[in-house]
Amino acid sequence: MSGKKPIGRPANQDASTALKAVALRLVRELGYEKVSVSEIIEQAGVARQTLYNRWNTKADLVLEAVFEQTNTYAAEPSWDGAEDCRTLLEGFLIRIFEHLRIDGDTLRALIAASQQDAKFHKSFHANFVLPREEMITALLRRAQDHGELSPGRNVETLSALIHGAFWYRLLNRGVLDAGFAKEIVAETFA
Amino acid sequence: MSGKKPIGRPANQDASTALKAVALRLVRELGYEKVSVSEIIEQAGVARQTLYNRWNTKADLVLEAVFEQTNTYAAEPSWDGAEDCRTLLEGFLIRIFEHLRIDGDTLRALIAASQQDAKFHKSFHANFVLPREEMITALLRRAQDHGELSPGRNVETLSALIHGAFWYRLLNRGVLDAGFAKEIVAETFA
DNA sequence: TTGATCATTAGACTGCCGTCCACTAACTAC
DNA sequence: GTAGTTAGTGGACGGCAGTCTAATGATCAA
């Protein structure tokens, strides 16, 4: 598939990377709400329309900018280590929480934005929410296979409980640290 | 205390009730985002400033309007029934979920708004979030006292897990029904 | 070269929230 | 009564996100 040369003026890739870089920097510096689109395009040196050619909203741009970083942070836990699933889950949560120390405020803003824009909610859910949910359910299922977790437990509900716990803390600006991760795991496997 | 006559022109109570009634109706009809302040004040027949004399933002007004309704819906579970705590918790969650069928979308919008306005977050947390969280922790503590729940479990963490589960479902537009309530309780007491 | 197609630019424009202002209305204290 | 204080009215205003337009630029196909 493809090999087809696209017709018309090609999109300027530098503009995209500049926009993402500026957006990520400004959002981390000032916070999502305080960064205006005008400020972003000015510092990136492009026109307003150029931004909206690639992303539907400010939230889409910031999501993509953060997403590239996040994938390097919170990758899947190494599957083949000698550790048990409980330790794997704990490490996975701890790594997520560490990343949230940097981008937690931005993520809060994106969750808020996703409640206000149905289209953005879809892509946010597909790119951010679902993948993480699936990692946890897979981990829990593996724990069941290994006999670490009773086969009678409902893995989907457990996953909702675990994810919900840190969403709840995040949105209520509670503490998200290794201690909380340990407690979550302890209650899950209790 | 009081008996002191306040000085100056007294606030028109009708304006407040009209604003709350109109806001609640419009928000339920059209959804929070689609209702503009201009529409609310026009239908309530008051000036813009009158609204902002009583509430800081649209979110504050809607919160209060919904809050009055919610208190009639999701009151504390009757403490002295013969039921066990597990059943109490289940009934409590089911009643919350029923109310969310009506105002769930509005609550989602308010949660979003609370992420974008620190002052509103404070009052939202104090009026809405904390009271419910305390009801659940109290219920869980009681379950420990009655021997229904192991005394080794961390009640605060469990409460975060339970609340988080339905926040997570709510914000991701998942299904919130009696079945989910039962599953939550089952996993909590597992 | 010429025409078609898509990207970029600068800027005007709409609709929104929340603020501000000048004026008027209602009430208390004296 | 009159002065002081607070609330309500109507409308202007500023700042924001996102849309739209007209002109220019870059690339491919014939």
Side-chain angles (χ1 to χ4, degrees):
Chain A
M1 50 192 54
S2 89
K4 270 284 184 56
K5 282 261 167 141
I7 205 152
R9 176 174 177 171
N12 179 6
Q13 195 52 46
D14 293 349
S16 297
T17 55
L19 281 166
K20 282 187 280 190
V22 169
L24 188 61
R25 180 172 56 76
L26 284 180
V27 159
R28 282 179 171 167
E29 248 172 45
L30 310 172
Y32 183 87
E33 314 292 341
K34 295 213 191 304
V35 178
S36 69
V37 169
S38 300
E39 184 73 20
I40 294 175
I41 60 174
E42 188 183 331
Q43 292 206 19
V46 304
R48 197 175 192 75
Q49 186 58 42
T50 302
L51 191 160
Y52 287 103
N53 280 346
R54 293 166 172 69
W55 297 280
N56 289 324
T57 64
K58 186 174 84 165
D60 286 278
L61 163 60
V62 173
L63 171 61
E64 196 174 318
V66 173
F67 189 49
E68 291 182 350
Q69 292 292 318
T70 304
N71 271 358
T72 74
Y73 278 101
E76 199 130 0
S78 73
W79 224 211
D80 39 50
E83 307 153 301
D84 53 15
C85 294
R86 191 179 159 139
T87 313
L88 277 179
L89 176 59
E90 192 176 298
F92 183 60
L93 288 178
I94 287 177
R95 252 175 305 142
I96 291 183
F97 292 175
E98 268 168 15
H99 172 240
L100 289 181
R101 286 219 321 271
I102 302 170
D103 284 327
D105 284 339
T106 306
L107 191 57
R108 280 199 304 104
L110 290 179
I111 291 174
S114 78
Q115 304 304 314
Q116 293 160 343
D117 179 341
K119 265 200 295 189
F120 177 63
H121 185 274
K122 263 189 82 168
S123 85
F124 180 71
H125 194 255
N127 288 311
F128 231 92
V129 181
L130 260 191
R132 271 154 195 75
E133 184 160 332
E134 278 160 8
M135 286 184 205
I136 298 232
T137 51
L139 228 158
L140 291 172
R141 249 187 264 283
R142 195 182 169 84
Q144 281 184 324
D145 293 347
H146 284 213
E148 293 180 54
L149 193 65
S150 155
R153 309 286 302 265
N154 184 325
V155 173
E156 278 79 17
T157 305
L158 273 180
S159 176
L161 284 160
I162 294 171
H163 272 95
F166 85 77
W167 276 53
Y168 190 68
R169 277 268 168 117
L170 177 65
L171 295 176
N172 289 301
R173 296 177 176 71
V175 181
L176 284 164
D177 57 6
F180 187 53
K182 282 196 220 302
E183 283 167 16
I184 289 177
V185 175
E187 293 305 323
T188 306
F189 283 84
Chain B
M1 49 192 59
S2 89
K4 271 285 182 56
K5 284 261 168 140
I7 205 155
R9 176 174 176 170
N12 178 6
Q13 196 51 46
D14 293 349
S16 298
T17 54
L19 281 166
K20 282 186 280 189
V22 169
L24 188 60
R25 179 171 58 76
L26 284 180
V27 159
R28 282 178 171 167
E29 247 172 47
L30 310 172
Y32 183 88
E33 313 293 341
K34 295 212 190 302
V35 178
S36 70
V37 168
S38 301
E39 184 72 20
I40 295 175
I41 60 173
E42 189 184 330
Q43 293 206 17
V46 303
R48 197 175 193 74
Q49 186 59 41
T50 302
L51 191 161
Y52 287 103
N53 279 346
R54 294 167 172 68
W55 296 280
N56 289 323
T57 64
K58 184 173 84 166
D60 286 278
L61 163 60
V62 173
L63 171 62
E64 197 175 317
V66 173
F67 189 48
E68 291 181 351
Q69 292 291 319
T70 304
N71 271 357
T72 75
Y73 279 100
E76 198 131 1
S78 73
W79 225 211
D80 40 50
E83 307 152 303
D84 52 15
C85 293
R86 192 179 159 140
T87 312
L88 276 178
L89 177 58
E90 194 175 296
F92 183 60
L93 288 178
I94 287 177
R95 252 175 305 143
I96 292 183
F97 292 176
E98 268 167 16
H99 173 239
L100 289 181
R101 285 218 323 270
I102 302 171
D103 284 328
D105 284 338
T106 306
L107 190 57
R108 280 198 304 104
L110 290 178
I111 291 174
S114 78
Q115 303 305 313
Q116 293 160 341
D117 180 339
K119 264 200 295 188
F120 177 64
H121 185 274
K122 263 189 84 170
S123 84
F124 180 72
H125 194 255
N127 288 310
F128 231 93
V129 181
L130 259 191
R132 272 153 194 77
E133 183 160 334
E134 279 161 8
M135 288 184 204
I136 298 233
T137 51
L139 229 158
L140 291 173
R141 250 186 264 284
R142 194 181 170 84
Q144 281 185 324
D145 294 346
H146 284 212
E148 293 179 56
L149 192 68
S150 155
R153 311 279 310 257
N154 184 326
V155 173
E156 279 79 17
T157 305
L158 273 180
S159 176
L161 285 161
I162 294 171
H163 272 95
F166 85 77
W167 276 53
Y168 190 66
R169 278 267 168 119
L170 177 66
L171 295 176
N172 289 302
R173 295 175 177 72
V175 181
L176 284 166
D177 57 7
F180 186 54
K182 282 196 220 302
E183 283 167 17
I184 290 177
V185 175
E187 293 304 325
T188 306
F189 283 83

